[in-house]
Amino acid sequence: TQLLEQSPQFLSIQEGENLTVYCNSSSVFSSLQWYRQEPGEGPVLLVTVVTGGEVKKLKRLTFQFGDARKDSSLHITAAQPGDTGLYLCADFSGGYNKLIFGAGTRLAVHP
Amino acid sequence: DTAVSQTPKYLVTQMGNDKSIKCEQNLGHDTMYWYKQDSKKFLKIMFSYNNKELIINETVPNRFSPKSPDKAHLNLHINSLELGDSAVYFCASSPFYQPGVPNEQFFGPGTRLTVL
């Protein structure tokens, strides 16, 4: 059974700081998705990465997929309070298009 | 306009009761899902339907029975509720089902179920 580990579990920072969160898998990702979930809401897709070594940017967010496709990182530059939320990585896995989620990193950005 | 909606938003009930959660999507998507998010925020797939047909059943107790009357609706009925069923249940939809081809899942706002 695939296990996704996300680190850190919790991160509390001040507005303007940079941060990186990580997602590691016990097996090769089929394709990796990052979601953000705000309190009281459902997750919202940020990005899908498929190719080892791929880097995608979404405004202040930079997503990297490891060459071996077993790890990924999300870097946020100049964090803002609106970035507060639970960041989830997920493997879009297997023949049934099942999403297997990590436990998430809970980010709080303080003004 | 709400893309994926769920009712109710909150559900508080006694152990042993039977309850239903409704989900509707107005995105014209083919595939719908139910997920359970526990108190530690761990989100796990329960069921998936494509064009009203079950394609994923993740060893969920048979007290949970999904029903898809049409492509836009996927309801979840739970019999004989137990304390451990307390969680937030999310419905989601995605445009299509093609094995191995990733696509975006759109999540509803969740239903917080509390079993007393």
Side-chain angles (χ1 to χ4, degrees):
Chain A
T1 305
Q2 182 183 26
L3 292 175
L4 300 189
E5 287 191 17
Q6 291 192 242
S7 60
Q9 276 188 288
F10 301 97
L11 193 52
S12 179
I13 61 171
Q14 294 298 125
E15 184 175 2
E17 291 184 25
N18 300 335
L19 66 115
T20 303
V21 299
Y22 300 92
C23 174
N24 291 287
S25 173
S26 57
S27 55
V28 173
F29 284 103
S30 300
S31 58
L32 170 66
Q33 296 188 325
W34 282 94
Y35 285 78
R36 179 170 66 212
Q37 183 179 13
E38 298 185 17
E41 307 274 338
V44 175
L45 180 67
L46 296 173
V47 77
T48 301
V49 287
V50 178
T51 306
E54 189 172 0
V55 177
K56 283 194 174 178
K57 292 194 173 185
L58 184 67
K59 297 183 182 176
R60 294 175 295 100
L61 277 59
T62 302
F63 303 87
Q64 288 194 305
F65 200 18
D67 289 342
R69 297 174 63 235
K70 291 183 72 175
D71 60 276
S72 179
S73 64
L74 159 57
H75 181 80
I76 302 179
T77 304
Q80 298 177 0
D83 296 327
T84 292
L86 179 69
Y87 287 81
L88 296 160
C89 67
D91 187 17
F92 198 94
S93 164
Y96 296 102
N97 290 3
K98 206 166 52 167
L99 273 179
I100 298 172
F101 282 92
T105 292
R106 200 173 305 186
L107 172 65
V109 182
H110 304 283
Chain B
D1 283 346
T2 305
V4 181
S5 59
Q6 296 178 227
T7 53
K9 176 81 171 165
Y10 300 97
L11 185 51
V12 181
T13 188
Q14 299 287 332
M15 255 191 331
N17 283 351
D18 303 339
K19 290 293 178 186
S20 291
I21 306 172
K22 295 187 176 181
C23 177
E24 176 181 1
Q25 54 95 3
N26 63 5
L27 298 166
H29 288 171
D30 286 345
T31 314
M32 295 186 73
Y33 310 81
W34 278 109
Y35 287 85
K36 178 180 179 182
Q37 189 170 44
D38 62 25
S39 58
K40 294 183 179 178
K41 301 297 185 186
F42 189 61
L43 195 62
K44 190 171 180 188
I45 181 81
M46 300 173 71
F47 299 104
S48 174
Y49 272 72
N50 185 60
N51 280 321
K52 302 194 299 173
E53 289 193 19
L54 180 69
I55 53 173
I56 295 175
N57 181 340
E58 278 293 294
T59 59
V60 177
N62 58 14
R63 297 182 295 104
F64 291 79
S65 51
K67 284 189 172 51
S68 183
D70 56 58
K71 212 170 71 164
H73 295 86
L74 180 61
N75 303 322
L76 184 64
H77 187 78
I78 315 170
N79 289 328
S80 303
L81 278 154
E82 299 177 357
L83 293 176
D85 297 332
S86 295
V88 182
Y89 291 84
F90 286 97
C91 177
S93 72
S94 61
F96 58 84
Y97 169 68
Q98 188 174 344
V101 177
N103 60 91
E104 181 173 358
Q105 293 190 14
F106 294 78
F107 285 78
T111 295
R112 182 175 292 277
L113 171 64
T114 303
V115 182
L116 303 175

